[in-house]
Amino acid sequence: MTTRPDPAPTLDRAMPQTNPPLRRYVIEALRGLAHPSPPPAAPPAGAPKRWRHKVAYVLVFAITAILVPTTTFHLIEQYGANRGLAQLLAVGTAGPLVMIVRRPLQAWWIIFPFDLVCALNLAGTADHTLWPWPPPIIIGYLFLMLALALREPRRTLVTVWLLTGVVGFVLSQTAAPAPDGRGDNGGDVLLFVLSGVALFIGATIRERRDAQRRLAEQETISEAERARRTLLEERTRIARELHDVVAHHMSVITVQADSAPYRIDGLPDTAREEFAAIASSARESLTEMRRLLAVLRSEGAEGERAPQPGLDRIQQLVEATVRAGVPVVLSLQTGLTRLAELDAVPQSVDLSAYRIVQEALANVVRHAPGASTCVSVTADDTHLTVLVVNSAATEPLSALESTGTGHGLVGMRERVRLTGGSLDTGPLPDGGFRVAARMPLAAGAPAVAAAAPAASAPPAVSAPPSTKDPQ
C-alpha cells in the first residue's frame, strides 16, 4: 500500500503570521486611548515644588470659569443657538477642563464628543462665522491638547491629533455651510494646525522636564557610586597597609616555631612535630596573604618596601605642614613613640593615628589655608586620643579647593572603625573644624606620662570667619 505525500505547504503556512507595522501601530495607538496614563502622585507635604501644583489647579479652575459663560454667550449671540442648548454645550465642552491637571485623556473623551455634537448642531445656521469649531471651543481644546502633551505618550498624542483633523475634515466636507454663503469653513484647518503647535510645545516642555529629572537622578546615582568607590578604595588601602602589620607577626611566629627545637633542649618528638606544623601553617598563611594583596593592589602598582609610619613620625608630618604655611602646635605625650616601638600601642592603632593626623592636616592646607591648628595625641590606660582642631582660614581659598568631596573623612571613619574606636568630626562656631578620634589600646597597656609639647609654631592670629571645612 502506497502512501501519498502530504501536499506542499501553502504560502499562508510557510510565511509567518505577523502584523504589519502600520496595523500594529494603530492597535497600540487605540489601546493607548483606552488606557490613559495613571495620574501623578500628589507631592509630599513640605515638598519644595508643591506650590506649583496648587497654582496649576487655580489656573485650570480660572480657565474653566471663564470659558463656560464665554462659550454660552458666543453660541447664543454669534450662532443663534438656543439658550438651554448653548449652556449644555458650554458645560460639556469647557467644564471637563477641570480634570486636565490629573486626567487629561479622560477629559478629552468627554470634551471631544461634545465638540462634535456642537458642530453638528451649528451646521447650516445663518449667522455663524467659523465652523465646525467655534472660537471658544478652539481655545479650550488648545488647553486640553497642551495638558495631554505633558502627560500622555507620543503615540497617543499623534492619534488624538489625527482624529481631530479627520473629524474636522469630514464635517467640513459633508455638512453644508450657511445658506447665505457667509459661513467660513476654515475652522477645521485652524484647530488642526493650532492643536499641532500646542502638542509640540507641550511635548518639548515634557521632554525637557524629563531630561532634567533623569539628569538629577543620574547625578544622585553618580554621587552614591563615587562615595561607594571611595569607600572601597580606602578599605583596600587599609588592607594593604595592614598586610605589613600582620605579615610581621606571622613572620615572627614562623621564625619562633622553626627555631624552637634548636633553642629548647629536650623537646619530645610530638612537640617538635607540633612546632613544625605551626611553622608550616604560618608560611601558608603568609602565602595566602600575598595572593590576596596581589588582588587588592591595582594594576602596575608595586608593593611598598618602606615600613608603615606611626606615632614616631607625627612630628615630621607637623614640621612639613608648618613649612607649607600652616601654623601648627603639636602636643605629644612623652613616651608615646617609645611605647609604640615596644608594641605597647597596637600597630593598627599606631598606623591609624598617623593617617588620621595626616589627612586632617592635608584638609587644613586645602580648605583652611593659614588657619592656626593644634594637634594633640594623648593616651591613658585604655585609649589613645587624637585631636586636630583648626581655626578659620586666614588666607583666601583657592578656586580649586573651595569645595570638598567629603571623602577625607571616609578614610578616618574606616580606620577608627577598624580599631573599634570612635570618631567625632564637625565645624566649630568660629568657622574652624574639629577632628577627634578615640581608639582602644591593648589590654594592660601602661599609662603614659604627662603631655609635653614636642614641636611648636608661631602663635595663631585672629582670622575672619570662613566657610566650614568640608573635608
Side-chain angles (χ1 to χ4, degrees):
M1 181 177 180
T2 60
T3 58
R4 299 179 60 184
D6 293 337
T10 61
L11 182 61
D12 293 337
R13 294 180 181 178
M15 297 297 293
Q17 299 295 326
T18 58
N19 292 328
L22 180 60
R23 180 182 177 185
R24 185 164 55 250
Y25 182 88
V26 173
I27 294 175
E28 293 295 333
L30 296 178
R31 187 177 300 170
L33 291 178
H35 301 281
S37 300
K49 297 183 180 180
R50 187 180 181 87
W51 63 271
R52 296 186 181 180
H53 296 266
K54 295 182 179 179
V55 171
Y57 281 107
V58 172
L59 291 178
V60 166
F61 277 103
I63 293 171
T64 305
I66 294 173
L67 282 180
V68 170
T70 302
T71 304
T72 303
F73 177 81
H74 194 81
L75 294 180
I76 295 174
E77 296 296 329
Q78 298 297 326
Y79 291 85
N82 179 270
R83 179 176 296 274
L85 178 62
Q87 292 176 347
L88 176 63
L89 294 176
V91 173
T93 57
L97 290 176
V98 297
M99 304 168 54
I100 64 176
V101 175
R102 293 179 62 83
R103 301 181 183 274
L105 190 57
Q106 289 89 333
W108 179 83
W109 276 107
I110 302 174
I111 292 176
F112 190 66
F114 270 94
D115 289 347
L116 180 59
V117 172
C118 180
L120 293 175
N121 280 275
L122 298 180
T125 57
D127 297 330
H128 73 272
T129 58
L130 192 64
W131 189 83
W133 316 118
I137 290 180
I138 293 178
I139 295 175
Y141 202 81
L142 293 181
F143 282 108
L144 175 61
M145 298 297 277
L146 183 61
L148 281 172
L150 296 175
R151 286 293 317 283
E152 300 299 328
R154 184 176 303 175
R155 182 184 290 109
T156 302
L157 301 181
V158 174
T159 304
V160 170
W161 184 54
L162 292 179
L163 284 177
T164 302
V166 169
V167 172
F169 176 77
V170 172
L171 288 174
S172 64
Q173 296 300 318
T174 56
D180 58 358
R182 289 183 296 165
D184 183 9
N185 296 334
D188 57 331
V189 178
L190 180 63
L191 180 60
F192 184 71
V193 174
L194 292 181
S195 61
V197 174
L199 288 178
F200 176 78
I201 295 175
T204 302
I205 296 175
R206 177 183 177 180
E207 290 180 359
R208 182 175 181 272
R209 182 183 60 190
D210 292 343
Q212 291 177 343
R213 187 189 72 252
R214 289 192 299 268
L215 180 60
E217 292 176 354
Q218 187 62 37
E219 290 178 352
T220 303
I221 295 174
S222 299
E223 183 62 28
E225 289 294 331
R226 190 180 302 112
R228 180 175 177 272
R229 183 174 63 252
T230 303
L231 178 62
L232 293 178
E233 291 176 354
E234 188 63 30
R235 287 178 176 176
T236 303
R237 177 187 174 189
I238 295 174
R240 290 197 303 264
E241 292 178 351
L242 287 180
H243 165 266
D244 295 341
V245 176
V246 179
H248 168 72
H249 293 291
M250 297 298 295
S251 299
V252 172
I253 293 174
T254 304
V255 172
Q256 290 179 341
D258 282 334
S259 61
Y262 304 98
R263 292 182 291 103
I264 304 175
D265 297 331
L267 283 178
D269 294 338
T270 55
R272 294 176 181 272
E273 293 176 358
E274 188 69 22
F275 279 118
I278 293 174
S280 177
S281 299
R283 292 191 189 93
E284 184 177 353
S285 300
L286 282 174
T287 303
E288 294 298 332
M289 287 185 59
R290 293 189 182 98
R291 292 175 181 173
L292 176 61
L293 185 64
V295 174
L296 295 177
R297 184 175 294 121
S298 58
E299 296 182 3
E302 297 181 356
E304 298 180 1
R305 295 179 174 83
Q308 295 296 341
L311 296 172
D312 57 333
R313 294 178 56 180
I314 288 183
Q315 184 172 352
Q316 302 175 12
L317 183 62
V318 169
E319 293 174 354
T321 307
V322 172
R323 289 194 297 269
V326 177
V328 182
V329 176
L330 173 63
S331 176
L332 184 65
Q333 279 189 343
T334 303
L336 264 181
T337 56
R338 179 180 59 82
L339 291 176
E341 294 173 358
L342 297 176
D343 292 336
V345 177
Q347 292 188 7
S348 59
V349 175
D350 190 28
L351 174 60
S352 297
Y354 176 86
R355 293 301 187 192
I356 290 173
V357 175
Q358 182 184 40
E359 183 62 34
L361 292 179
N363 285 332
V364 173
V365 174
R366 286 195 298 264
H367 306 298
S372 58
T373 307
C374 178
V375 178
S376 174
V377 182
T378 58
D380 53 23
D381 292 337
T382 58
H383 289 84
L384 177 73
T385 303
V386 177
L387 180 64
V388 181
V389 180
N390 65 273
S391 64
T394 60
E395 300 177 5
L397 296 178
S398 171
L400 298 178
E401 301 293 351
S402 58
T403 58
T405 61
H407 296 160
L409 297 178
V410 173
M412 297 184 191
R413 292 192 183 97
E414 287 301 306
R415 292 183 182 279
V416 173
R417 179 183 177 185
L418 171 70
T419 61
S422 60
L423 179 69
D424 180 24
T425 62
L428 298 176
D430 62 351
F433 204 84
R434 174 178 180 268
V435 175
R438 182 176 173 84
M439 294 171 286
L441 297 172
V448 185
S456 62
V461 295
S462 60
S466 65
T467 57
K468 63 183 181 180
D469 187 359
Q471 302 210 33

